[in-house]
Amino acid sequence: MDFALTEEQTAIFDMAHAFGQDNIAPYARQWEAEGTIPKELWPQVGELGFGGLYVSEEAGGAGLTRLDATLVFEALSMACPSVAAFLSIHNMCAKMLDNFASDELKARVMPDVLSLNTVLSYCLTEPGSGSDAAALKTRAEKTNEGYVLNGTKAFISGGGYSDAYVCMVRTGEDGPKGISTVYVEDGTPGLSFGALEQKMGWKSQPTAQVQFDDCKVPAGNLVGVEGDGFKYAMMGLDGGRLNIASCSLGAAQTALNMTLQYMGERKAFGKSIDQFQALQFRLADMEIELQAARTFLRQAAWKLDNKAPDATKFCAMAKKFVTETGSKVVDQCLQLHGGYGYLADYGIEKLVRDLRVHQILEGTNEIMRVITARHMLANR
Ligand SMILES: Cc1cc2nc3c(=O)[nH]c(=O)nc-3n(C[C@H](O)[C@H](O)[C@H](O)COP(=O)(O)OP(=O)(O)OC[C@H]3O[C@@H](n4cnc5c(N)ncnc54)[C@H](O)[C@@H]3O)c2cc1C
């Protein structure tokens, strides 16, 4: 058992970290205030190979493992978890297309997906179905030319901003087996968007409903096989959960680094606050918790890479543990900054707000417990 990163993995982390510090961190608060990430950023990210992190090299991707990808998201989220998490969603979609789209669809769309000239959104949730995603109602009626879509997707990250939408829609019976995946390009007649959602965090990412009103999609835009869409959507989520957890980890590590620094500078009662043993213990607890979270996350990623039978359970457990640890750590870091932690200039309150949603999406942390318990009961 080897817990060390390889030289190549260290280089991947360093490259992503340097890119984030140079090109994202200085602008993160501005983008948050503007409510959008400049589109020009994405082709630069694409040049690093981050538009298809785990798409195979033969198919034009970076061919990284899931474990490698967690390093990229950990490193980028040290600059801004909102931007890093948005890239995770694109990569989840890119991998779904790489795995299941027809050669014709791939030839048409993948070059721009990989270069991030086409930014992708993932459309599963609906106003009436979130955790119970298989209850989705957006209908895709088959026609001679393809499909006609009617319905609404809710909470879509990149809604109205992305260039294409990977959508889970109902082509058949009720339940998971009646769901298919279709690729819907921006500008398709009948595709429209709701108003921008006002959110607690992830403010640089536009979030909106995606609406289909007799939206005609050509048959060639079906991804994979009709009726298998829910399976594809769930397969994407194991990796998505690792990435979201990595985003919590990187942001929490940044908060802890800032807090270590701050506590050496801030004085109270005639000494720097890092001299109070009660506070030193809190630093130690945060370090222990983050190291445990990192090890658990990388173990889960390793299981997914090695197709371990309990990989899904480990991805769920790690997502729950790491996102909750990350939120706890950033909240403690805010506390250790005193009143200054509450001010935007110190950069901690944004992390508290950004990380909160990681406990809700890619499956809520209650659903992570449902998955874990289900595996435990099935294997007792
Ligand atoms: C900022 C943001 C961005 C998002 N981006 C996307 C996106 O890009 N694409 C996308 O498809 N979706 C996206 N989502 C949607 C997100 O995945 C859902 O909000 C999430 O899955 C929860 O669904 P829900 O909000 O309908 O809550 P519900 O499913 O209604 O859950 C409400 C509460 O009940 C609990 N609960 C539900 N079922 C169970 C159960 N069986 N056992 C125990 N507890 C249960 C939940 O954990 C939660 O606490 C986004 C959400 C947000 C907030």
Side-chain angles (χ1 to χ4, degrees):
M1 193 178 287
D2 187 351
F3 286 98
L5 296 182
T6 63
E7 254 178 55
E8 196 191 340
Q9 286 171 327
T10 305
I12 290 167
F13 182 92
D14 290 346
M15 176 174 73
H17 185 259
F19 180 85
Q21 294 305 309
D22 291 346
N23 300 287
I24 298 172
Y27 313 106
R29 278 186 57 207
Q30 182 193 332
W31 296 345
E32 157 157 270
E34 292 167 358
T36 192
I37 305 165
K39 273 284 184 79
E40 304 82 67
L41 177 75
W42 297 118
Q44 294 176 50
V45 176
E47 276 176 27
L48 302 178
F50 293 174
L53 283 165
Y54 21 77
V55 172
S56 68
E57 283 179 279
E58 302 81 71
L64 298 186
T65 64
R66 296 293 178 157
L67 178 49
D68 297 338
T70 66
L71 303 174
V72 170
F73 290 108
E74 183 183 345
L76 287 178
S77 65
M78 295 184 83
C80 176
S82 170
V83 175
F86 192 68
L87 181 67
S88 162
I89 296 168
H90 169 91
N91 270 279
M92 191 159 72
C93 296
K95 184 63 180 163
M96 283 170 75
L97 294 176
D98 180 51
N99 278 349
F100 305 112
S102 66
D103 288 345
E104 183 276 324
L105 181 58
K106 279 199 268 198
R108 182 153 51 91
V109 306
M110 281 310 270
D112 280 342
V113 165
L114 296 175
S115 65
L116 272 161
N117 284 302
T118 293
V119 173
L120 300 175
S121 282
Y122 175 93
C123 303
L124 178 64
T125 306
E126 298 190 355
S129 58
S131 301
D132 185 13
L136 67 84
K137 288 194 160 45
T138 294
R139 191 91 221 158
E141 294 296 343
K142 206 162 188 171
T143 62
N144 287 338
E145 295 77 34
Y147 298 91
V148 179
L149 272 53
N150 279 291
T152 301
K153 295 290 173 182
F155 290 113
I156 301 308
S157 304
Y161 168 90
S162 291
D163 303 294
Y165 298 85
V166 175
C167 305
M168 274 43 80
V169 295
R170 189 160 300 285
T171 47
E173 63 196 68
D174 284 352
K177 294 200 173 113
I179 295 171
S180 303
T181 302
V182 290
Y183 184 85
V184 184
E185 276 134 332
D186 187 36
T188 306
L191 173 68
S192 64
F193 308 99
L196 285 179
E197 306 289 2
Q198 303 297 311
K199 312 189 292 292
M200 172 183 180
W202 273 26
K203 285 172 180 279
S204 60
Q205 288 186 33
T207 307
Q209 288 194 344
V210 173
Q211 294 151 350
F212 308 101
D213 187 10
D214 284 337
C215 177
K216 294 190 181 63
V217 177
N221 282 24
L222 175 73
V223 176
V225 179
E226 238 188 52
D228 278 354
F230 193 70
K231 205 167 71 188
Y232 306 157
M234 293 301 112
M235 282 164 78
L237 280 177
D238 277 343
R241 286 170 187 155
L242 295 174
N243 297 347
I244 282 296
S246 309
C247 291
S248 285
L249 181 64
Q253 187 65 57
T254 290
L256 180 54
N257 296 349
M258 287 158 67
T259 304
L260 257 179
Q261 190 67 27
Y262 181 79
M263 287 173 66
E265 292 157 7
R266 181 69 181 170
K267 292 205 166 47
F269 301 96
K271 50 188 171 184
S272 59
I273 60 171
D274 62 3
Q275 297 307 302
F276 296 115
Q277 196 182 48
L279 302 192
Q280 289 175 359
F281 275 26
R282 274 155 83 169
L283 282 176
D285 285 344
M286 289 193 285
E287 173 72 1
I288 292 163
E289 283 161 14
L290 278 189
Q291 293 295 359
R294 183 174 287 108
T295 304
F296 194 18
L297 173 65
R298 291 181 183 171
Q299 185 195 18
W302 178 87
K303 283 196 179 260
L304 192 57
D305 283 327
N306 288 283
K307 301 188 173 45
D310 53 2
T312 293
K313 176 188 171 197
F314 270 75
C315 290
M317 291 195 298
K319 191 267 185 184
K320 185 228 171 251
F321 182 75
V322 182
T323 56
E324 288 177 8
T325 301
S327 281
K328 196 171 139 196
V329 166
V330 291
D331 188 61
Q332 286 286 308
C333 289
L334 189 153
Q335 185 70 16
L336 290 168
H337 275 73
Y340 296 98
Y342 203 70
L343 304 184
D345 274 350
Y346 284 74
I348 304 272
E349 60 85 39
K350 173 179 180 295
L351 299 180
V352 174
R353 290 185 289 100
D354 280 346
L355 261 51
R356 184 60 183 84
V357 77
H358 298 186
Q359 297 179 47
I360 297 171
L361 41 69
E362 307 279 350
T364 67
N365 283 4
E366 287 75 25
I367 295 301
M368 298 307 101
R369 292 181 184 89
V370 169
I371 294 169
T372 305
R374 197 182 285 150
H375 276 79
M376 290 168 70
L377 296 174
N379 291 305
R380 76 187 136 165

